[in-house]
Amino acid sequence: MNEKSTERLKPEYDVVVIGAGNGGLAAALELAVKGAKPLLLEQHNLPGGFATSFVRGRFEFEASLHELCSVGSVTNKGGVRAFLEDEAKVEIDWVPVPEAYRLILTDEKMDVTMPFGVDAFIDAVGKAVPGSRDSVETYMRFCEGISDALGVIGKLQDKPDLTKIAATIQNLPAALKHIASTTPGIVNFLKTLPCTVEEVTRTFNIPDDALKIIYPYWCYLGVPMSRMAFSLWAALIIEYIRLGAYIPRMRSHELTSAMEMRIRELGGRIEFNTRVEKILVEKGRVTGLETSAGDKIKTSCVICNASPTLTYNRLIHPAEEVPEAAHRNVNAHIHGGAGFVVYLGLDAPPAELGINEYGYFISKTMDTDAVYNSLGRLGMTDMQATICLNNAVPDCSPPGTTILSMTTLYKPDVWAGVTAKDYFALKNKIAGEMIDEFEKALGTKIRGRIEEFEVATPATFSRYTGTYKGIIYGYEPEPWDSIITRHLALKDENYIRGLMFAGGFGAMCMGYSSALLSGRAAALAALKKLG
Amino acid sequence: MNKTIKIKGDLTDWSALFDLMPNRKKRMRNAQPVALTSDPVRELVRNIHPEVINLVIDSVRDETASAKTFRLTPDIDEGTSALPIFRAGQYLSFKLPVGEETVTRPYSIASSPLDAFERGFFEITVRKKEGGFATGRIWNNWKAGVKVAASGPCGFFYHDSIRDSSEIVGLGGGCGVTPFRSMISDIVENRLDLRLTFLYGVRKPDDIIYHDELRKLEAKAPEKIKVVFVCSEPGESWTGPSGFLSADVIREHAGGMEGKTFFVCGPQEMYRFLDAELEKLNLPRRLIRREAFGEVTDPAAFPGYPAAAVGKSFTISAEIGDELFEVPANSAESVLVAFERAKLSPPSQCRSGECGFCRALLLEGDVFITPENDGRRLADKKFGYIHPCASYPVSDMKVRILRGA
């Protein structure tokens, strides 16, 4: 009908953001804050990507967020809070997560609950494993130094050339004495940059049992400690333990909706139900895009919240415009974990079920290589990260009820062979085993109290966001492919002019906070380009 | 304070740092320069949740004077080669053309999952409503050979082995028998370890849909399936139970009720009646699963409805893209219906406030939403999003509609 033709968007935009996940929203928000009028296109009918929620009966479930780091308190703000609250004026009702985690190692009979706060954390490890306190303290202080150094480097205006910095520090000329003395971690940071977690950690002679207590956050990066980039690990554990973790009171849909509203308020344009089918490229330069709604939009600048994998393999048009180097780049990365989440609405309050903590890491062992290998089998894996939302937000479900969600990961190809016919039975089989495992670990009984039950598999994440093979974890951060190396390579690995990436597959690596901050960084880069 | 640690092994010098970026380059050089052309998980999604199923009407048969069953097969010419798997009890949202626009109507799949998977068809049964906009069109237009489009299977009205008991009581009324026909067939055909007592309430014996078929299924697996027809206006020849599906009738026919899961599907009057009856049975809420309430046709009958809005007409300013449309609205009809009448068909599926497919942003004005059908997320309530299919105008409004899916 002719009425509908008016749905058309403007024919040209300075900058278009593809995908309203955390990265895309943050990019559009930063652009709008800086006075640009971005267009944000999202294929789904709501914002958020993985950062969303859904309703079943009288429960509203969080889709994927466990806890955000880099938020911090009002008086001690982390990067995420500072960006949203101070810079973008986005008000979120942040709720602190009560404790770091309760770790239950079922094969190793370990059960310990850890607090936030670096000192309290060190004390708790020392108490749980007598004789470990000194080595753990040395280690945690070392990690703090690394995290601070990363912060300092992140704030340097121009992209630092680390090898040059290193060469200079080695000779320690006067110019660099200052940075080295105010942030002593910077030397350690540079030295450990090529190292895995294991390579660095084993030099601290921390007793094995203490290490097991320190390591659980590994599953937020999903790479075994034998391959995980140490510097990213150090920053991660310190960001969590030092600032604590937070969640939005009304699930992550509150966070993403608040960003959506602010973008609109600032004159940004958001269209849902609009899938970008083609990013048009001519002679290595972005010229525009085409959408499922029939829009043809001219633009020279695209910030893409879809992964490079998806972008180079499906979105760039014509495909010949994707250089071989871009394909090599995608194939050199190790694709990270695909998501599997069991959502439970229970008709008993948490206390009655003996569920008194917010976050549980339940794992057979803390041998991260062994657990990682279990992610390659099509069955229950050796670990689950389970949260009880009510223990942070007591009224998140009606009185007398509980919301639980149990998450695990799979290597990207595990679900590739599943047929539609087997799909429903398989997801229930795995979910059932995860429920059994949780019951056993806590000595509780939740079967028989299940009022609502839902499972998200890699297929579910693929369905709602289009993510390649259902991956929710980006590329695995090994030392050669971690936050600093990705930043240093940004210019070299920019294969199509005018195309930038935001989100968990980007330079900041995976995670909600990283994705948010990556979007902001991409927007700043785009603004610089646009002049 | 920070202590500079001497790292053992290769790391006593800086060479590893200097090698970091060259190593990255080397890895990239050594990687395959090929496109990743397949994503098997995406293929799986397409098979389980196709966005559109193109169907063609294979045959039509009369069930009762007011109910017809339509058998639908995949329309290969339009690109649907096989039917997706679904869970017995789910529905399809049909896209019915009205001029150049479409309206949607959800119908439960009445055939079994095996019918779809092995025999290649879906069946839906439609009862003609007096003055019904969609059912009238379906009755007049759906003949063998006619093409129709539907969504993938949707809805949450199905038995789940983890959540639900293997002892089931089904309470169906009128055309609400359709998902139970699918569930019962599924139990019999797939030899599921479930026992289902189905109480089917109708007005008159002639209103019973699938009478003989349900009896046959019952006879095939009498240890699992029990079907009880209950007539409220039985007439003289009726020998079965009569009355409504009251707590007493349920107690009498469903046996010991402890721990059994109840599935309820029927017209809205039946839900209202059963709310009170089921309360007498003192069942925990988790054991009662109700199909989506359906489109509310009498919002003014609900508690809390503002009396001043009864019988009023309003104007909705509908913002789509950069354009504004003035849409006349009637307080007794949902905002979605007003949009459809104005030929601005936003996407929709469940028409019960549950799926959120029609989600729209309320910029100005007020709506009335029945608690039964308020399936919105908390943050959507906070930021003013509504589900137009379950929202009734009580003032002039300004709404931002999402683009068509």
PDB file of all heavy atoms in Angstrom, chain A residues 146-161:
ATOM      1  N   ILE A 146      48.585  -5.251  37.443  1.00  0.00           N
ATOM      2  CA  ILE A 146      48.338  -5.501  36.019  1.00  0.00           C
ATOM      3  C   ILE A 146      47.064  -4.783  35.586  1.00  0.00           C
ATOM      4  O   ILE A 146      47.010  -4.128  34.538  1.00  0.00           O
ATOM      5  CB  ILE A 146      48.182  -7.020  35.770  1.00  0.00           C
ATOM      6  CG1 ILE A 146      49.418  -7.796  36.210  1.00  0.00           C
ATOM      7  CG2 ILE A 146      47.826  -7.302  34.307  1.00  0.00           C
ATOM      8  CD1 ILE A 146      50.646  -7.527  35.412  1.00  0.00           C
ATOM      9  N   SER A 147      46.029  -4.912  36.419  1.00  0.00           N
ATOM     10  CA  SER A 147      44.741  -4.292  36.091  1.00  0.00           C
ATOM     11  C   SER A 147      44.885  -2.775  36.007  1.00  0.00           C
ATOM     12  O   SER A 147      44.365  -2.139  35.086  1.00  0.00           O
ATOM     13  CB  SER A 147      43.720  -4.688  37.160  1.00  0.00           C
ATOM     14  OG  SER A 147      42.463  -4.159  36.852  1.00  0.00           O
ATOM     15  N   ASP A 148      45.621  -2.198  36.957  1.00  0.00           N
ATOM     16  CA  ASP A 148      45.842  -0.745  36.937  1.00  0.00           C
ATOM     17  C   ASP A 148      46.615  -0.323  35.698  1.00  0.00           C
ATOM     18  O   ASP A 148      46.324   0.705  35.087  1.00  0.00           O
ATOM     19  CB  ASP A 148      46.607  -0.306  38.191  1.00  0.00           C
ATOM     20  CG  ASP A 148      45.760  -0.474  39.444  1.00  0.00           C
ATOM     21  OD1 ASP A 148      44.529  -0.625  39.308  1.00  0.00           O
ATOM     22  OD2 ASP A 148      46.335  -0.473  40.554  1.00  0.00           O
ATOM     23  N   ALA A 149      47.615  -1.120  35.355  1.00  0.00           N
ATOM     24  CA  ALA A 149      48.425  -0.793  34.175  1.00  0.00           C
ATOM     25  C   ALA A 149      47.567  -0.819  32.920  1.00  0.00           C
ATOM     26  O   ALA A 149      47.670   0.054  32.056  1.00  0.00           O
ATOM     27  CB  ALA A 149      49.574  -1.787  34.044  1.00  0.00           C
ATOM     28  N   LEU A 150      46.691  -1.808  32.834  1.00  0.00           N
ATOM     29  CA  LEU A 150      45.793  -1.887  31.687  1.00  0.00           C
ATOM     30  C   LEU A 150      44.924  -0.636  31.631  1.00  0.00           C
ATOM     31  O   LEU A 150      44.682  -0.073  30.561  1.00  0.00           O
ATOM     32  CB  LEU A 150      44.922  -3.148  31.802  1.00  0.00           C
ATOM     33  CG  LEU A 150      44.061  -3.499  30.596  1.00  0.00           C
ATOM     34  CD1 LEU A 150      44.920  -3.716  29.356  1.00  0.00           C
ATOM     35  CD2 LEU A 150      43.239  -4.752  30.873  1.00  0.00           C
ATOM     36  N   GLY A 151      44.480  -0.190  32.815  1.00  0.00           N
ATOM     37  CA  GLY A 151      43.682   1.023  32.881  1.00  0.00           C
ATOM     38  C   GLY A 151      44.461   2.233  32.385  1.00  0.00           C
ATOM     39  O   GLY A 151      43.943   3.037  31.622  1.00  0.00           O
ATOM     40  N   VAL A 152      45.712   2.335  32.795  1.00  0.00           N
ATOM     41  CA  VAL A 152      46.550   3.467  32.384  1.00  0.00           C
ATOM     42  C   VAL A 152      46.759   3.448  30.871  1.00  0.00           C
ATOM     43  O   VAL A 152      46.603   4.460  30.187  1.00  0.00           O
ATOM     44  CB  VAL A 152      47.911   3.423  33.116  1.00  0.00           C
ATOM     45  CG1 VAL A 152      48.888   4.414  32.481  1.00  0.00           C
ATOM     46  CG2 VAL A 152      47.712   3.729  34.595  1.00  0.00           C
ATOM     47  N   ILE A 153      47.081   2.283  30.359  1.00  0.00           N
ATOM     48  CA  ILE A 153      47.322   2.167  28.918  1.00  0.00           C
ATOM     49  C   ILE A 153      46.048   2.468  28.142  1.00  0.00           C
ATOM     50  O   ILE A 153      46.054   3.129  27.104  1.00  0.00           O
ATOM     51  CB  ILE A 153      47.881   0.769  28.589  1.00  0.00           C
ATOM     52  CG1 ILE A 153      49.317   0.703  29.110  1.00  0.00           C
ATOM     53  CG2 ILE A 153      47.827   0.486  27.097  1.00  0.00           C
ATOM     54  CD1 ILE A 153      49.933  -0.658  29.046  1.00  0.00           C
ATOM     55  N   GLY A 154      44.913   1.981  28.693  1.00  0.00           N
ATOM     56  CA  GLY A 154      43.623   2.231  28.039  1.00  0.00           C
ATOM     57  C   GLY A 154      43.305   3.710  27.938  1.00  0.00           C
ATOM     58  O   GLY A 154      42.593   4.133  27.042  1.00  0.00           O
ATOM     59  N   LYS A 155      43.823   4.484  28.867  1.00  0.00           N
ATOM     60  CA  LYS A 155      43.504   5.917  28.872  1.00  0.00           C
ATOM     61  C   LYS A 155      44.457   6.736  28.008  1.00  0.00           C
ATOM     62  O   LYS A 155      44.217   7.915  27.787  1.00  0.00           O
ATOM     63  CB  LYS A 155      43.521   6.453  30.318  1.00  0.00           C
ATOM     64  CG  LYS A 155      42.286   6.011  31.103  1.00  0.00           C
ATOM     65  CD  LYS A 155      42.128   6.802  32.395  1.00  0.00           C
ATOM     66  CE  LYS A 155      41.033   6.222  33.265  1.00  0.00           C
ATOM     67  NZ  LYS A 155      41.536   5.180  34.195  1.00  0.00           N
ATOM     68  N   LEU A 156      45.562   6.139  27.554  1.00  0.00           N
ATOM     69  CA  LEU A 156      46.493   6.881  26.696  1.00  0.00           C
ATOM     70  C   LEU A 156      45.747   7.337  25.448  1.00  0.00           C
ATOM     71  O   LEU A 156      45.037   6.554  24.828  1.00  0.00           O
ATOM     72  CB  LEU A 156      47.689   6.004  26.309  1.00  0.00           C
ATOM     73  CG  LEU A 156      48.618   5.600  27.463  1.00  0.00           C
ATOM     74  CD1 LEU A 156      49.733   4.719  26.940  1.00  0.00           C
ATOM     75  CD2 LEU A 156      49.174   6.822  28.165  1.00  0.00           C
ATOM     76  N   GLN A 157      45.894   8.584  25.112  1.00  0.00           N
ATOM     77  CA  GLN A 157      45.116   9.155  24.010  1.00  0.00           C
ATOM     78  C   GLN A 157      45.372   8.443  22.690  1.00  0.00           C
ATOM     79  O   GLN A 157      44.466   7.980  22.030  1.00  0.00           O
ATOM     80  CB  GLN A 157      45.426  10.648  23.880  1.00  0.00           C
ATOM     81  CG  GLN A 157      44.658  11.504  24.873  1.00  0.00           C
ATOM     82  CD  GLN A 157      43.143  11.405  24.692  1.00  0.00           C
ATOM     83  OE1 GLN A 157      42.653  11.493  23.585  1.00  0.00           O
ATOM     84  NE2 GLN A 157      42.421  11.213  25.787  1.00  0.00           N
ATOM     85  N   ASP A 158      46.631   8.372  22.312  1.00  0.00           N
ATOM     86  CA  ASP A 158      46.931   7.692  21.055  1.00  0.00           C
ATOM     87  C   ASP A 158      47.266   6.248  21.361  1.00  0.00           C
ATOM     88  O   ASP A 158      47.743   5.923  22.423  1.00  0.00           O
ATOM     89  CB  ASP A 158      48.092   8.388  20.346  1.00  0.00           C
ATOM     90  CG  ASP A 158      47.652   9.740  19.831  1.00  0.00           C
ATOM     91  OD1 ASP A 158      46.627   9.771  19.125  1.00  0.00           O
ATOM     92  OD2 ASP A 158      48.305  10.750  20.169  1.00  0.00           O
ATOM     93  N   LYS A 159      46.966   5.414  20.411  1.00  0.00           N
ATOM     94  CA  LYS A 159      47.206   3.986  20.605  1.00  0.00           C
ATOM     95  C   LYS A 159      48.690   3.757  20.899  1.00  0.00           C
ATOM     96  O   LYS A 159      49.554   4.137  20.122  1.00  0.00           O
ATOM     97  CB  LYS A 159      46.815   3.212  19.350  1.00  0.00           C
ATOM     98  CG  LYS A 159      45.312   3.112  19.148  1.00  0.00           C
ATOM     99  CD  LYS A 159      44.727   2.012  20.014  1.00  0.00           C
ATOM    100  CE  LYS A 159      43.219   2.009  20.008  1.00  0.00           C
ATOM    101  NZ  LYS A 159      42.575   3.298  20.252  1.00  0.00           N
ATOM    102  N   PRO A 160      48.981   3.154  22.032  1.00  0.00           N
ATOM    103  CA  PRO A 160      50.384   2.961  22.375  1.00  0.00           C
ATOM    104  C   PRO A 160      51.017   1.842  21.553  1.00  0.00           C
ATOM    105  O   PRO A 160      50.340   0.898  21.189  1.00  0.00           O
ATOM    106  CB  PRO A 160      50.322   2.561  23.844  1.00  0.00           C
ATOM    107  CG  PRO A 160      48.991   1.905  23.991  1.00  0.00           C
ATOM    108  CD  PRO A 160      48.076   2.540  22.991  1.00  0.00           C
ATOM    109  N   ASP A 161      52.247   1.978  21.256  1.00  0.00           N
ATOM    110  CA  ASP A 161      52.984   0.871  20.656  1.00  0.00           C
ATOM    111  C   ASP A 161      53.751   0.209  21.804  1.00  0.00           C
ATOM    112  O   ASP A 161      54.743   0.732  22.294  1.00  0.00           O
ATOM    113  CB  ASP A 161      53.941   1.383  19.576  1.00  0.00           C
ATOM    114  CG  ASP A 161      54.657   0.211  18.910  1.00  0.00           C
ATOM    115  OD1 ASP A 161      54.826  -0.834  19.583  1.00  0.00           O
ATOM    116  OD2 ASP A 161      55.038   0.349  17.745  1.00  0.00           O
TER     117      ASP A 161
END
